[in-house]
Amino acid sequence: MNGNLVDCFQIDEAYRRKLQRENPAELAFGDYTIGRYAWVMADAILFNKPIPAKGKQGLWNWEGGIQDGQ
């Protein structure tokens, strides 16, 4: 997925309560441990074919090309 990072915030108890009310499935399947950080993305684009990125945690720049509407 490609998009623009528009915000980043630290997970706190108030956010966990909000998520429990508004989207309990997301809370159940995500890691929203207090103290972790959440990235807010905008204009996300799902690629037709995933880009292999073994071991790439965090923000990084893709060095390869993107072709065929990926």
Side-chain angles (χ1 to χ4, degrees), residues 4-66:
N4 296 308
L5 179 63
V6 295
D7 197 5
C8 178
F9 61 92
Q10 195 169 24
I11 303 296
D12 61 11
E13 188 58 43
Y15 183 77
R16 285 178 51 86
R17 285 192 303 268
K18 178 183 178 198
L19 198 54
Q20 179 64 44
R21 284 190 315 271
E22 296 177 6
N23 195 344
E26 178 66 26
L27 181 62
F29 292 106
D31 185 355
Y32 292 94
T33 303
I34 294 173
R36 289 181 58 101
Y37 287 87
W39 297 350
V40 180
M41 304 293 290
D43 306 317
I45 300 167
L46 184 62
F47 295 132
N48 293 332
K49 181 179 172 188
I51 296 172
K54 186 175 182 180
K56 294 288 188 175
Q57 295 181 5
L59 296 175
W60 54 280
N61 291 317
W62 172 248
E63 301 296 330
I66 298 176

